[in-house]
Amino acid sequence: MAKIIYTLTDEAPFLATHSFLPVIQAFASTAGVDVETRDISLSGRIIALFPERLTDEQRLDDALAELGDLAKTPEANIIKLPNISASIPQLKTAIAELQSQGYDLPDYPDEPTTDDEREARARYDKVKGSAVNPVLREGNSDRRAPLSVKNYARKHPHRMGKWSPDSRTNVVTMGADDFRSNEKTWVAPADDTLTIEFVGTDGSTQVLKQSIPVLAGEVIDGTVLHVGPLEQFLRAQIQRAQDEGLLFSVHLKATMMKVSDPIIFGHVIRAFFPDVFDEYGADLAAAGLTPNDGLNSILVGLDALPNGAEIKQAFTDGIAAGPELAMVDSDKGITNLHVPSDVIVDASMPAMIRTSGHMWGPDGDEHDTVAVIPDSSYAGIYQAVIEDCRANGAFDPSTMGSVPNVGLMAQKAEEYGSHDKTFEVPGDGTVRVTNAAGETVIQHDVAQGDIWRACQTKDIAIRDWVKLAVTRARASATPAVFWLDEGRAHDAALIELVHRYLGEHDTDGLDIRVLSPVDAMRLSLERIRRGEDTISVTGNVLRDYLTDLFPIMELGTSAKMLSVVPLLGGGGLFETGAGGSAPKHVQQLVQQNYLRWDSLGEFLALAVSLEHLAGVTGNARARILGETLDRATGTFLENDKSPGRKIGMIDNRGSHFFLAKYWAEELAAQTEDTELSAAFSHIAGELGAKEQTIVDELVAVQGHPADIGGYYRPDDAKTSAIMRPSAVPP
């Protein structure tokens, strides 16, 4: 039987799966397609780490490793929903919940001192941050807004905040002494093995990472962010915000860049509260309270300290004395500095741009903001958008063009694959990368506390990326722009390779250019204001940033993007959108039994997954299912059956009912397979006849608390009962 793997992940997508998956399995079975599940949720991955401590009933296989192997084969057909990219505070909370549910798991050791603690820390570190995507993404990314979605957005444009030419919001970045400016690149002339080591000023040597295999043609980067200049930069921006009466905000990626960005986040907090750390820094360190985990983790931990109340008051005084902070939740007093994973740059910056260039202040109103993005590698793209909006006003979703993306991400390409090669430098000296012959290929002078990192980009991934860009440019008759900065060492190496590999393809009649990210952004903005499309061809981080930025401006959300990963091994990975896992939606479900999660991304991914399966296996019914699902999704959008904005409207569960109804109607109407048509004529009739009863039952449960038995590990039976409340037989 043909097989699709549907992943079980976290938070809102996981809850929605309990409602939608039975529909998928029922429809797919009519084509002989088996839809299996694999648990790659944060809790599932934690449980899989410690089989020796758990009972037979509790143990889980390492589903992520299994899917990682599958992704390298032609048989792969994986639908991947958004999952939690866990920061350390999230990881600790998930562990505590599992422990409360009876799982014998060790605590996460911040400062391991025993062999057992070091072993536990090493295992837990495997699930921190973006542990899932690099394993599954054995191919490059093709993300775009489907025509049906784009047409709907034009007919029903979302609200965009009005921009003033007098807006004082700006992005500030280091521009020197940071990752971009210090980057050095080496292209491996042959297969080799690298070692990263630190050499102190006293001549001592410490191996940071050894036996790193590299392949011929692989692009290797090393760079360092100097924390002395970082601290000076941060203090200057804090003072600037105060002097100019602007909100202060910082925008990092502490989930994906799980080693470097929490450290940078910690420096931001130290810079904002210098007096507190001067007086109480030793007390906080002794208690294991680190600013790298965010202000909230410190404040919660202060309750256990004898002078905790005194330190808490010092933080309160520090907030009052500094510039006003941008807020995550003004009503609850949650600032931009409270939790590292609350303010993720690729989501927070588009939200600010969409909201007139404003963030929310402590008073609950919108204000102009100093947006601090310390590393200058990509900060300029956001400043270019701000400048464009100041000059030309907000974008108009009813007329604007689109910016689809072809992203280089295969085999842990670029910065997002740097986690195991990122280090907080242990002293003054040099970090160097040597090859098997002992030759130094990359070297940096460093000081204690500096953040040094290396990353790899394989030649096969770059070749495939260029090929995919040419394929998409020709298929859509759309200009394609490689966003590469010739002033950055890594990009300079890629520019040479792009030109080389473009020569392997027929590019006659195609408009393919190479521009710096800022120039590429300006060109793309000019074109979308004219209603024209431009394919962005980018590296891994810009792929992430742009596939939030443009969809949020065009569609109101990045969750409505079609995200296809043609795998290098011939299979397919189909991602359900870039909209995150929506923790606030879970909170609303628990409080009000109302789930606002929009499953449109799941509908889009399932349709192309079925079409891919049909193309590989020749399964005509799978093709019909995919084609009819695509048409049903168009009807779904035209009839506005996405979850409503408030209680009393249909929520995620109701949206699944209408999608199933429209899908059944499309299958009944198709004439290619009369047996299939007859079967679904009956189903469509039943769903139509019972529509009002089912909708009434789905709405009736709203407005009351819902018990799902856990946040990171909900109870399966309770969740299914909550997500399938209608008593009407299927």
Side-chain angles (χ1 to χ4, degrees):
M1 177 178 276
K3 181 164 58 178
I4 293 172
I5 304 297
Y6 200 88
T7 56
L8 304 178
T9 57
D10 301 290
E11 297 178 321
F14 177 75
L15 299 177
T17 295
H18 279 74
S19 171
F20 188 44
L21 182 61
V23 175
I24 298 173
Q25 291 171 325
F27 278 68
S29 67
T30 64
V33 177
D34 188 16
V35 182
E36 298 181 358
T37 61
R38 296 292 188 276
D39 186 349
I40 59 169
S41 65
L42 175 60
S43 63
R45 288 180 283 124
I46 291 172
I47 292 167
L49 293 173
F50 298 96
E52 75 281 2
R53 300 177 65 116
L54 306 178
T55 66
D56 290 343
E57 293 75 19
Q58 291 175 327
R59 289 191 192 108
L60 292 176
D61 293 332
D62 188 344
L64 181 59
E66 176 195 349
L67 293 187
D69 291 337
L70 177 63
K72 298 173 184 177
T73 70
E75 296 76 29
N77 190 322
I78 304 168
I79 297 178
K80 191 266 174 184
L81 279 71
N83 63 281
I84 292 173
S85 294
S87 62
I88 290 177
Q90 288 173 303
L91 180 57
K92 290 178 178 178
T93 305
I95 293 167
E97 179 180 301
L98 289 168
Q99 290 170 336
S100 73
Q101 294 174 345
Y103 290 88
D104 179 24
L105 298 169
D107 291 335
Y108 179 87
D110 288 305
E111 301 291 340
T113 57
T114 68
D115 288 344
D116 285 347
E117 288 180 344
R118 281 187 283 271
E119 171 66 16
R121 171 69 177 263
R123 293 195 198 185
Y124 279 134
D125 283 351
K126 293 178 182 178
V127 301
K128 279 195 318 192
S130 182
V132 172
N133 291 338
V135 174
L136 298 184
R137 288 173 171 169
E138 284 289 327
N140 291 310
S141 170
D142 175 6
R143 282 185 172 174
R144 57 190 186 274
L147 184 60
S148 60
V149 174
K150 185 65 176 174
N151 287 340
Y152 178 81
R154 282 177 168 154
K155 291 179 183 177
H156 308 277
H158 62 90
R159 187 184 70 84
M160 296 283 281
K162 184 178 180 181
W163 270 81
S164 166
D166 299 323
S167 169
R168 296 182 296 145
T169 289
N170 276 297
V171 173
V172 291
T173 190
M174 291 178 69
D177 296 305
D178 60 357
F179 289 130
R180 179 194 176 279
S181 59
N182 290 322
E183 189 171 68
K184 297 180 181 180
T185 295
W186 175 73
V187 180
D191 293 359
D192 210 330
T193 302
L194 304 182
T195 298
I196 303 171
E197 55 188 11
F198 166 72
V199 181
T201 52
D202 61 358
S204 62
T205 300
Q206 177 183 343
V207 175
L208 301 178
K209 181 79 174 180
Q210 61 184 359
S211 300
I212 305 169
V214 297
L215 301 175
E218 193 162 348
V219 178
I220 312 300
D221 306 308
T223 188
V224 61
L225 186 148
H226 296 301
V227 298
L230 170 67
E231 291 167 352
Q232 295 174 11
F233 164 76
L234 292 171
R235 287 194 294 269
Q237 304 318 314
I238 292 167
Q239 188 63 51
R240 172 185 175 176
Q242 185 147 20
D243 291 345
E244 298 182 16
L246 301 171
L247 297 182
F248 177 84
S249 65
V250 64
H251 304 263
L252 295 165
K253 188 81 171 181
T255 50
M256 297 287 274
M257 304 307 298
K258 60 186 178 182
V259 179
S260 61
D261 283 22
I263 297 172
I264 297 172
F265 196 85
H267 282 289
V268 176
I269 293 178
R270 287 188 180 93
F272 200 90
F273 300 99
D275 295 341
V276 178
F277 282 91
D278 284 346
E279 186 168 355
Y280 302 108
D283 294 340
L284 296 173
L289 301 177
T290 169
N292 297 12
D293 292 347
L295 181 59
N296 187 67
S297 68
I298 295 177
L299 297 177
V300 170
L302 290 177
D303 292 339
L305 271 62
N307 59 343
E310 178 183 334
I311 300 175
K312 189 173 291 188
Q313 184 60 49
F315 276 111
T316 300
D317 294 342
I319 290 176
E324 290 192 332
L325 282 166
M327 305 297 287
V328 171
D329 190 326
S330 302
D331 294 338
K332 296 180 180 179
I334 300 174
T335 74
N336 180 270
L337 302 183
H338 264 62
V339 182
S341 57
D342 270 354
V343 186
I344 302 301
V345 58
D346 49 320
S348 60
M349 287 302 299
M352 182 174 75
I353 290 165
R354 181 182 169 184
T355 314
S356 309
H358 295 156
M359 294 189 75
W360 297 98
D363 58 0
D365 288 334
E366 300 175 19
H367 299 278
D368 289 342
T369 307
V370 171
V372 176
I373 304 177
D375 179 44
S376 60
S377 295
Y378 309 109
I381 67 164
Y382 293 116
Q383 180 63 24
V385 181
I386 289 170
E387 291 170 358
D388 182 274
C389 289
R390 254 199 300 263
N392 301 303
F395 295 92
D396 183 354
S398 67
T399 61
M400 67 189 294
S402 188
V403 183
N405 179 263
V406 172
L408 172 60
M409 68 177 191
Q411 300 188 343
K412 304 180 183 179
E414 301 190 321
E415 297 99 323
Y416 284 171
S418 68
H419 314 310
D420 62 344
K421 297 176 287 294
T422 301
F423 309 96
E424 192 169 21
V425 177
D428 295 347
T430 301
V431 173
R432 66 188 182 194
V433 181
T434 59
N435 63 11
E439 301 164 331
T440 298
V441 298
I442 293 174
Q443 179 172 301
H444 291 93
D445 293 333
V446 294
Q448 183 168 356
D450 285 352
I451 306 166
W452 190 95
R453 76 174 185 218
C455 54
Q456 304 167 243
T457 310
K458 292 180 171 53
D459 183 65
I460 188 175
I462 299 168
R463 283 177 177 266
D464 181 77
W465 176 56
V466 174
K467 176 185 175 183
L468 184 57
V470 173
T471 300
R472 289 303 309 152
R474 187 167 296 285
S476 59
T478 302
V481 179
F482 286 84
W483 295 43
L484 295 170
D485 178 0
E486 65 181 4
R488 180 181 170 189
H490 169 82
D491 285 11
L494 256 62
I495 289 171
E496 180 180 340
L497 294 172
V498 165
H499 287 305
R500 181 189 307 171
Y501 296 147
L502 282 173
E504 299 176 353
H505 302 281
D506 175 14
T507 59
D508 286 348
L510 300 182
D511 182 355
I512 297 179
R513 315 181 203 182
V514 178
L515 296 173
S516 73
V518 170
D519 287 341
M521 175 61 80
R522 289 171 178 159
L523 173 67
S524 300
L525 296 177
E526 289 173 10
R527 289 178 57 83
I528 63 174
R529 285 191 181 276
R530 296 197 299 263
E532 298 171 343
D533 300 344
T534 314
I535 298 171
S536 57
V537 189
T538 71
N540 205 349
V541 174
L542 274 177
R543 168 200 59 80
D544 209 8
Y545 291 7
L546 299 187
T547 56
D548 268 320
L549 174 65
F550 286 111
I552 286 173
M553 293 194 297
E554 293 176 43
L555 313 174
T557 174
S558 57
K560 296 180 179 180
M561 292 285 281
L562 177 61
S563 184
V564 178
V565 182
L567 298 172
L568 298 176
L573 175 68
F574 308 96
E575 299 185 279
T576 65
S581 47
K584 289 185 177 180
H585 289 355
V586 184
Q587 296 166 13
Q588 185 176 17
L589 177 86
V590 171
Q591 295 167 2
Q592 301 175 325
N593 200 353
Y594 190 83
L595 185 64
R596 275 191 60 192
W597 175 258
D598 189 342
S599 288
L600 180 62
E602 288 100 286
F603 306 161
L604 300 171
L606 177 59
V608 290
S609 168
L610 288 164
E611 291 165 6
H612 173 81
L613 184 146
V616 170
T617 65
N619 185 328
R621 281 196 169 180
R623 175 179 52 78
I624 293 170
L625 284 174
E627 292 171 352
T628 53
L629 175 55
D630 190 49
R631 293 198 292 271
T633 301
T635 304
F636 174 92
L637 289 169
E638 284 300 319
N639 290 340
D640 197 19
K641 295 303 182 183
S642 295
R645 299 188 62 84
K646 57 185 179 181
I647 288 179
M649 306 172 74
I650 63 164
D651 72 346
N652 177 263
R653 296 163 286 196
S655 72
H656 293 159
F657 164 75
F658 281 104
L659 188 280
K661 176 176 178 286
Y662 300 146
W663 194 4
E665 290 171 350
E666 290 290 347
L667 282 162
Q670 59 82 30
T671 57
E672 182 177 345
D673 187 323
T674 55
E675 184 179 344
L676 202 60
S677 174
F680 277 99
S681 292
H682 173 72
I683 295 170
E686 286 288 295
L687 292 175
K690 297 173 181 176
E691 174 180 327
Q692 194 59 53
T693 300
I694 293 171
V695 170
D696 287 347
E697 289 180 344
L698 295 178
V699 172
V701 300
Q702 299 173 13
H704 308 284
D707 177 16
I708 56 175
Y711 185 88
Y712 292 95
R713 194 75 184 169
D715 179 87
D716 195 60
K718 288 182 177 180
T719 305
S720 292
I722 291 294
M723 293 305 300
R724 293 176 64 79
S726 174
V728 175

